[in-house]
Amino acid sequence: MSESAQLPTTPSQHSGTAGSQPSQQPNYMQEFGFDRGQGLQFGIYSLGDHLPDPHDGSRVDAGQRIHEFIGYAQAAEDAGLDFFSLGESHQEFFASQAHAVILGAIAQATDTIRIGSSSTILSTSDPVRVFENFATIDLISGGRAELVAGRASRIGLFELLGYDLRDYEELYEEKLDLLLQINREKQVTWSGQFRTPLNDAEVLPRPTGQALRIWRAVGGAPASAVKAGLAGVPMVMAHLGGTTSVFKGTVDAYRRAAAHAGFDPATLPIATAGFFHAAETSQQALAGMYPHINEGMKRTNGQGMPKQHFAQSVHPASIANIGSPQQIIEKILHQHEVFGHQRYLAQIDFGGMPYAEVMKQIEIIGTEILPSVKKYTAEEAIR
């Protein structure tokens, strides 16, 4: 474990659960609707990018791109997937700046699939407004909304929205604490550094159930996972690549931190999220996705991905699920064996991927991959 991920010598005060003690910890497995008898949950997500197709430079307009997000969710529901989520970004080549508005439209356009953010940039948002938005989505969707709270991997929005990048860590931690307190307490009294105090404030509307389903986004480094564990908050671990064994360290750090703080790790869900692309052969899968990843990352992150590095994505030890359907099934089952996680999220539309190709990927997941993943990860099959 790195120095930054060392556990404190005394348990935290569990500010992430609004001052509650571990004995009062919610059973998030139940609250989030995870059923071991149903196996690993499978979802897809989009960052909301609005990039040109690297093969011909074509790009749909922003309105069509937003309707594509809605179409993804509808297709995922029809294919039997468990979850669809949409990210928030405030820079060029993205179209989901108002992701909560789009999720509201998705809530109206779907009936059963769970929906959420991936992620909501909490550092530059007011937790009161975030709660109001997602409680409203939850009511529209009949209790299907979830919220993934992130810090921002692209930092241009700090200047755009009037925040100081030097407060990057402090903004996120303070706002996540407040969001979690609002979620657990009907009347909130709170004070902090970056927002005016709340004095016995009632934040409305309230969601369908007892509370919103809120996750903490973790980029893969153990330090952030430790903070999620110490607060007893469910974790979504995102990754661009690398080996599954490397990320096991992050999962272990999360569970150790939770136990150290007095929480039962068995009650805390974990989700993983990363690149996915299926084709008849692994070579076809690499060729089908690499131009989109490389050119897309150049435009959104400032540098592409080395081709030799990306080629490792089809290796059985890689955490990226790229290859033939059977290869991907085997990798997901291996990852589930290593992590013991509850949900996997596939990113399938990045980098100007044509809408028809995204629909094809959803069909492959629903017909060839999902049945096997469910079959071999359901509790009855494990016994």
Side-chain angles (χ1 to χ4, degrees), residues 91-175:
Q91 67 179 60
E92 188 179 16
F93 299 116
F94 286 85
S96 61
Q97 289 78 4
H99 71 309
V101 176
I102 302 171
L103 287 170
I106 291 172
Q108 189 71 13
T110 56
D111 296 311
T112 58
I113 192 169
R114 294 183 182 275
I115 57 176
S117 56
S118 58
S119 58
T120 296
I121 308 305
L122 195 59
S123 308
T124 55
S125 302
D126 179 359
V128 173
R129 294 302 300 271
V130 169
F131 184 87
E132 291 172 343
N133 285 340
F134 278 81
T136 301
I137 296 169
D138 194 63
L139 293 172
I140 294 171
S141 67
R144 293 183 284 127
E146 300 185 14
L147 194 166
V148 178
R151 289 181 293 187
S153 58
R154 290 170 292 277
I155 55 179
L157 77 171
F158 279 77
E159 180 178 358
L160 177 67
L161 300 178
Y163 289 90
D164 191 335
L165 185 58
R166 291 173 295 185
D167 299 323
Y168 181 85
E169 294 287 346
E170 293 82 0
L171 277 166
Y172 179 72
E173 299 301 337
E174 178 176 300
K175 293 190 176 196

Side-chain angles (χ1 to χ4, degrees), residues 168-350:
Y168 181 85
E169 294 287 346
E170 293 82 0
L171 277 166
Y172 179 72
E173 299 301 337
E174 178 176 300
K175 293 190 176 196
L176 180 58
D177 281 352
L178 175 55
L179 177 66
L180 294 169
Q181 184 173 346
I182 293 170
N183 197 33
R184 288 294 169 193
E185 298 179 4
K186 189 173 182 181
Q187 307 291 138
V188 178
T189 297
W190 175 93
S191 63
Q193 181 180 355
F194 299 105
R195 191 195 189 284
T196 53
L198 297 174
N199 296 303
D200 201 27
E202 184 176 13
V203 180
L204 299 171
R206 305 306 295 182
T208 303
Q210 292 184 343
L212 274 175
R213 302 176 187 88
I214 298 177
W215 304 72
R216 176 174 178 136
V218 171
S224 184
V226 167
K227 290 180 179 178
L230 291 174
V233 180
M235 174 180 77
V236 176
M237 181 178 69
H239 44 75
L240 291 175
T243 62
T244 298
S245 60
V246 167
F247 289 96
K248 184 178 185 302
T250 300
V251 171
D252 290 345
Y254 170 69
R255 290 187 172 131
R256 281 197 303 268
H260 177 82
F263 297 107
D264 180 1
T267 67
L268 296 171
I270 296 174
T272 65
F275 290 138
F276 175 103
H277 194 78
E280 187 173 345
T281 68
S282 56
Q283 291 75 20
Q284 290 173 343
L286 285 173
M289 193 172 198
Y290 179 71
H292 298 275
I293 297 296
N294 188 45
E295 294 302 319
M297 290 182 68
K298 284 181 183 176
R299 293 178 186 272
T300 59
N301 294 358
Q303 61 180 9
M305 179 178 285
K307 195 169 187 177
Q308 189 174 13
H309 176 74
F310 185 74
Q312 299 301 314
S313 300
V314 298
H315 191 280
S318 172
I319 199 167
N321 290 313
I322 297 170
S324 70
Q326 185 58 40
Q327 289 172 325
I328 290 174
I329 290 169
E330 292 171 1
K331 292 173 78 170
I332 291 176
L333 294 181
H334 172 64
Q335 291 158 16
H336 184 257
E337 183 179 350
V338 172
F339 299 144
H341 56 314
Q342 284 67 46
R343 178 182 287 165
Y344 165 68
L345 299 173
Q347 185 182 5
I348 61 177
D349 73 321
F350 184 74

Side-chain angles (χ1 to χ4, degrees), residues 51-60 291-292 295 299 351-355:
L51 287 155
D53 185 329
H55 297 291
D56 59 14
S58 63
R59 186 170 76 150
V60 301
H292 298 275
E295 294 302 319
R299 293 178 186 272
M353 188 71 71
Y355 187 73

